[in-house]
């Protein structure tokens, strides 16, 4: 007989152990080793049985055991010390407070459809969620006042298993919020706080709010499984990325619109500041901008004025530059949900639809809306910034792609979460700051250690991975229907002295899970090489609706099932944070072979690098900018080859060649008397000391603060000052400039100051006559762009000079400036006119330019 509903009963803690409850409910434990050790000591056997879940631990621990711990003065002292340490952490002035940045926002909202904090809170599917989790953890460590906003999925993503023939199977076990490290947001009377979002046909979507405390950062999770809802609405937050188009739209409306309303409710209940800056992690939460516009319209602003006020404090981060990575809804579906009886006064549905316009008139593009609703935007690596500027250049027609206002902040990873204790202890062998002190010196210390010490740690981690691989392979085969007596071979799977390659990620086609199988015979020879064998551990989930991805998983599984190679290659189902820690730390090489340049960043290789694992990767995402020739290997790419099969053949052959002729020989070259491979160990040391500090999420979040959050906070405050006078002025100015712009023209450009043979050191005086079309001189910038040119007269890496007004000329305004000739070779210049206002964030913000 199955239960209709499930819930978790938590233990009644003795008074002496009350701080345990506080520690459980602050997810800092997920990256704080001392707290994890404390939980384990409550009941080591039960801790292992509950897979490191402290809520389950306290729900299942024997009451007599709790009484014994309450009487154990040593345990109570230890508990008190850790609880006091947490309070110190929560109240201390950290990096953000010490910087005293002018205009720093008092609160920043960070919206994401998924958050990967810990496997105990299964609200993530892959890299996007893990990035969001690392962002919150690092913001906490730095004291950045972020508030996370997401959804609470009652079945998470899915639990992955395999059929006997290797086909991915999905299972969605129910999640009881009371059994998670969450608290429900309630008002002063203890009544649960709820938000509501209007739907067509008079329906309403209600949601309650759960809070996960991530160190200093609150994470608000909206949950539609409430009695106020009809069955259809009750299931809106059933699964992450589940359901059809209508279902997905409702999830994103709840995330964006309901999320802003949840922030307002949270501020009202707790007295904390409402956010000044809103960071949208991908377009899934884009509707938050519409809700903020609606709020402002209710105060008396016009739609355009409200749009400018909302844009000023909004940052939009775009992710994979592939069609599947962008949400696109039927235009009519969006119109139905924001028009008719569900329309908002002062927010015309036609204006909403304009925000999502793309080349297909029948589609509403969430990424386009996100870019139009944000004054600032970024990609997540330098290369991804370039790709994104090219991809979205159509929104700023008339500008070179390099001028498209999309910057980049290269992702980073949260070291306390991902660095194994063995590596931390390795660094602690040398005096000085620890590895987690956010100081490059902590990583640099490892380069001073003897090779055999570093090598011994790497072998220890590999041996630990081997044990985990065998455990998981056995469990997977039993789940696939094998009998225990058939599995004696599992004890020979993997070898702690064999070169180990890790490959784990989501399974969209561009990540090319099966590139390694391109020449399966050659792969077999590499796996079974008599002197230099390799072993490969592979993991990853395909989206439940992606049969193509499931076929890729099946191909890998069926290859790995072959008795001839199954001791050297395995596929581990149900990839999650817990498994990832073993893979990142225990692998010698981290493999990544996406189709360049479609990998936005690819942070799994960063986590591996923090453990001394060397990257073997296509130069895409973060690896394109951080590969230095000594911290791993770059797989040559066949850029420009249009035949995808031929490209895969070329790049897979390059992968095999590197493994066979470079990577494996270096790993097995034991040229020292202590058995340590000198050149390999040198690469490990170099990776940790030089690459380690670059891939930290602390660097990433500091860049967001300095380059985006603070400027956005300043813009938001300026727009809101004096009763939103700045937003009103900017909206009126944009309206006036757009109306006049067809009349803005470059009438004439000439120059003086050079003889027949221009030479370095001379100066070129550039003059231009401009018809301003009725605009004032202060409304525009007249810019001269100059520099070296190519054979098509395209200016390469142009420098820019603002020409100054020098009076009226025939038919227009005259401008002039002096360009220095600082280099030899082909040289060129041009003059353009662009709108200028003190509250715009870039010259391309309006998408208007007048060229000669």
């Amino acid at each position: 007989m199955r239960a209709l509903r499930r819930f978790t009963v938590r233990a009644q803690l003795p008074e002496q152990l009350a701080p345990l409850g506080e520690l459980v409910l602050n997810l800092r434990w997920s990256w704080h080793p001392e707290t994890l050790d404390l939980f384990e000591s409550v009941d080591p056997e039960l801790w292992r049985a509950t897979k490191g879940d402290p809520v389950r631990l306290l729900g299942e621990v024997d009451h007599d055991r709790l009484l014994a711990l309450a009487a154990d003065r040593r345990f109570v002292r230890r508990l008190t010390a850790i609880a006091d340490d947490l309070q110190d952490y929560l109240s201390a002035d950290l990096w953000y407070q010490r910087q005293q940045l002018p205009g720093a926002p008092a609160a920043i909202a960070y919206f994401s459809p998924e958050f990967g904090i810990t496997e105990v809170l299964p609200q993530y599917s892959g890299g996007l969620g893990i990035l969001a989790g690392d962002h919150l953890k690092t913001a906490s460590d730095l004291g950045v006042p972020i508030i996370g906003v997401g959804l609470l999925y009652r079945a998470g993503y899915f639990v992955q298993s395999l059929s006997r023939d290797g086909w991915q199977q999905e299972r969605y076990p129910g999640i009881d919020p009371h059994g998670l490290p969450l608290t429900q947001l309630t008002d002063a009377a203890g009544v649960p706080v709820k938000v509501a979002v209007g739907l067509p046909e008079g329906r309403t979507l209600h949601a309650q709010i759960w809070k996960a405390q991530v160190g200093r950062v609150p994470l608000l999770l909206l949950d539609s499984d409430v009695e106020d809802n009809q069955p259809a609405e009750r299931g809106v937050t059933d699964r992450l990325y589940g359901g059809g188009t209508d279902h997905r739209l409702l999830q994103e409306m709840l995330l964006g619109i309901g999320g802003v309303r949840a922030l307002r409710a949270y501020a009202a209940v707790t007295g904390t500041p409402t956010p000044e800056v809103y960071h949208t992690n991908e377009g899934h939460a884009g509707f938050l901008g519409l809700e903020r516009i609606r709020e402002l319209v209710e105060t008396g602003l016009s739609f355009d004025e409200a749009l400018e006020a909302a844009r000023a404090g909004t940052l939009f981060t775009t992710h994979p530059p592939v069609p599947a990575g962008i949400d696109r809804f039927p235009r009519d579906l969006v119109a139905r949900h924001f028009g008719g009886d569900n329309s908002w006064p002062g927010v015309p549905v036609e204006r909403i639809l304009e925000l999502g316009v793309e080349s297909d008139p029948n589609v509403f593009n969430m990424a386009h809306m996100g870019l139009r609703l944000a004054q600032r935007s970024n990609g997540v690596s330098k290369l991804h910034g370039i790709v994104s500027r090219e991809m979205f250049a159509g929104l700023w027609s008339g500008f070179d792609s390099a001028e498209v206002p999309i910057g980049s902040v290269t992702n980073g990873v949260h070291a306390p979460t991902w660095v194994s204790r063995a590596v931390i202890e390795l660094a602690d062998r040398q005096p000085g700051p620890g590895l987690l002190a956010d100081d490059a010196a902590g990583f640099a210390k490892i380069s001073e250690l003897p090779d055999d010490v570093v090598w011994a740690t790497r072998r220890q981690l590999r041996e630990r991975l081997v044990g985990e691989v065998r455990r998981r392979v056995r469990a997977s085969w039993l789940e696939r229907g094998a009998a225990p007596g058939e599995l004696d071979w599992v004890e020979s799977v993997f070898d702690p002295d064999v070169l180990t390659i890790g490959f784990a990620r989501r399974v969209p086609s561009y990540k090319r899970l099966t590139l390694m199988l391109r020449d399966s015979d050659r792969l077999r020879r590499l796996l079974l090489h008599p002197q230099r064998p390799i072993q490969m551990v592979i993991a990853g989930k395909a989206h439940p609706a992606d049969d193509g991805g499931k076929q890729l998983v099946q191909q890998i599984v069926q290859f790995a099932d072959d008795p001839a190679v199954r001791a050297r290659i395995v596929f581990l189902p149900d990839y999650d944070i817990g498994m990832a820690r073993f893979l990142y730390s225990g692998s010698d090489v981290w493999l990544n072979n996406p189709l360049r340049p479609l990998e936005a960043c690819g942070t799994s290789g960063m986590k591996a690098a923090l453990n001394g694992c060397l990257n073997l990767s296509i130069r895409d995402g973060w690896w394109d900018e951080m590969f230095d020739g000594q911290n791993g290997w770059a797989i040559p790419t066949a850029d420009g080859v249009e035949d995808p099969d031929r490209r895969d053949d070329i790049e897979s052959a390059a992968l095999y060649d590197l493994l066979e002729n470079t990577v494996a020989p270096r790993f097995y070259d034991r040229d020292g008397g202590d058995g340590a491979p000198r050149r390999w160990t040198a690469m490990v040391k170099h990776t940790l000391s030089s690459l380690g500090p670059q891939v930290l999420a602390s660097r990433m979040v500091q860049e967001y603060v300095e380059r985006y959050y603070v400027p956005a906070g300043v813009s938001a405050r300026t727009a809101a000052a004096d009763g939103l006078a700045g937003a009103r002025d900017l909206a009126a100015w944009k309206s006036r400039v757009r109306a006049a712009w067809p009349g803005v023209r470059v009438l004439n450009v000439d120059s003086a100051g050079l003889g027949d043979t221009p030479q370095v050191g001379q100066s070129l005086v550039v003059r231009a006559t401009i018809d301003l079309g009725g605009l004032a001189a202060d409304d525009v910038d007249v810019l001269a762009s100059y520099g070296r040119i190519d054979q098509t007269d395209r200016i390469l890496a142009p420098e820019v000079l603002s020409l100054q007004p020098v009076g009226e000329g025939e038919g227009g305004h005259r401008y002039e400036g002096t360009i220095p000739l600082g280099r030899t070779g082909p040289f060129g210049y041009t003059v353009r006119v662009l709108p200028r206002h003190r509250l715009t964030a870039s010259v391309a913000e309006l998408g208007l330019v007048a060229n000669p």
Side-chain angles (χ1 to χ4, degrees), residues 237-283:
T237 56
D238 56 354
R239 300 175 180 179
L240 173 60
Y241 303 143
T245 302
D246 292 35
H247 188 79
R248 186 74 168 268
L249 178 63
L250 292 180
Q251 285 190 337
E252 300 195 1
M253 289 177 66
L254 180 60
L255 175 58
I257 299 167
V260 172
R261 296 175 184 178
L263 286 168
R264 304 293 180 256
Y266 179 74
V269 168
T270 62
T272 55
T274 57
E276 299 171 85
V277 172
Y278 294 77
H279 184 175
T280 308
N281 191 27
E282 225 353 309

Side-chain angles (χ1 to χ4, degrees), residues 133-390:
D134 281 9
H135 199 108
L136 296 195
K137 293 174 185 177
T138 306
S140 175
D141 290 343
L142 295 176
V144 181
I146 278 179
I147 304 173
V149 182
L151 301 179
L152 181 72
Y153 305 97
R154 287 300 185 106
Y157 193 37
F158 66 88
V159 173
Q160 180 195 44
S161 60
L162 301 172
S163 68
R164 188 71 188 216
D165 65 352
W167 188 256
Q168 173 180 294
Q169 298 179 319
E170 300 92 27
R171 183 166 50 87
Y172 291 89
I175 293 173
D176 170 25
H178 297 282
L180 298 174
L182 304 172
T183 56
Q184 192 167 17
L185 186 65
T186 58
D187 61 19
V191 177
V193 174
K194 296 177 183 175
V195 297
V197 176
L199 300 178
E201 292 88 44
R203 296 177 294 130
T204 302
L205 173 59
H206 300 271
Q208 58 190 345
I209 305 165
W210 298 90
K211 178 172 74 76
Q213 191 65 37
V214 186
R216 297 164 66 115
V217 171
L219 168 59
L220 308 181
L221 300 171
L222 281 70
D223 171 19
S224 70
D225 189 13
V226 295
E227 294 181 356
D228 313 62
N229 283 328
Q230 295 298 314
E233 286 74 45
R234 194 161 184 162
V236 165
T237 56
D238 56 354
R239 300 175 180 179
L240 173 60
Y241 303 143
T245 302
D246 292 35
H247 188 79
R248 186 74 168 268
L249 178 63
L250 292 180
Q251 285 190 337
E252 300 195 1
M253 289 177 66
L254 180 60
L255 175 58
I257 299 167
V260 172
R261 296 175 184 178
L263 286 168
R264 304 293 180 256
Y266 179 74
V269 168
T270 62
T272 55
T274 57
E276 299 171 85
V277 172
Y278 294 77
H279 184 175
T280 308
N281 191 27
E282 225 353 309
H284 310 284
F287 291 126
L288 74 88
L290 299 185
E291 170 63 7
R292 295 182 61 219
I293 289 171
R294 183 199 64 78
E295 290 178 327
L296 291 161
V297 166
E298 285 190 351
T299 69
L301 267 64
S302 69
F303 180 92
D304 288 321
E305 292 166 344
L307 171 62
E308 297 307 328
R311 288 185 75 251
T314 302
L315 167 65
F316 176 77
T317 297
T318 183
H319 284 276
V322 295
I326 296 176
D327 284 323
R328 301 164 78 239
F329 295 108
R331 186 177 185 276
D332 292 345
L333 181 65
V334 176
R336 185 163 63 86
H337 280 76
F338 288 94
D341 64 349
N342 198 43
S343 61
W344 293 336
V347 186
V349 67
E350 294 78 15
R351 298 300 305 275
I352 293 175
L353 295 174
E354 287 173 3
L355 294 169
V357 164
E358 63 149 78
S359 57
D360 185 339
N362 298 313
V363 167
F364 186 93
N365 188 307
M366 293 294 288
H368 285 197
M369 180 179 72
L371 290 165
R372 291 181 174 119
L373 284 174
Q375 194 174 54
R376 293 167 175 83
S377 304
N378 73 284
V380 292
S381 69
K382 289 180 180 178
L383 178 59
H384 180 235
I386 294 170
V387 173
S388 297
R389 288 189 286 274
E390 294 172 348

Side-chain angles (χ1 to χ4, degrees), residues 655-668:
L655 168 61
Y656 298 136
D657 287 343
L658 274 170
L659 286 172
E660 183 173 15
N661 302 319
T662 304
V663 179
R666 183 161 297 190
F667 180 86
Y668 289 105

Side-chain angles (χ1 to χ4, degrees), residues 668-683:
Y668 289 105
D669 181 12
R670 309 299 163 87
D671 48 359
D674 53 15
R678 299 290 181 217
R679 292 191 300 161
W680 186 279
T681 308
M683 292 180 72

Side-chain angles (χ1 to χ4, degrees), residues 46-85:
L46 183 58
W47 179 249
R48 288 188 291 272
T50 58
K51 299 180 180 179
D53 182 341
V55 178
R56 283 187 60 196
L57 176 77
L58 293 189
E60 298 179 21
V61 66
D62 186 82
H63 186 64
D64 289 341
R65 174 59 179 166
L66 292 176
L67 292 177
L69 290 172
D72 184 337
R73 287 183 295 176
R74 180 179 296 180
F75 181 87
V76 172
R77 283 197 302 269
R78 185 178 168 202
L79 169 61
T80 301
I82 291 175
D84 289 346
D85 179 74

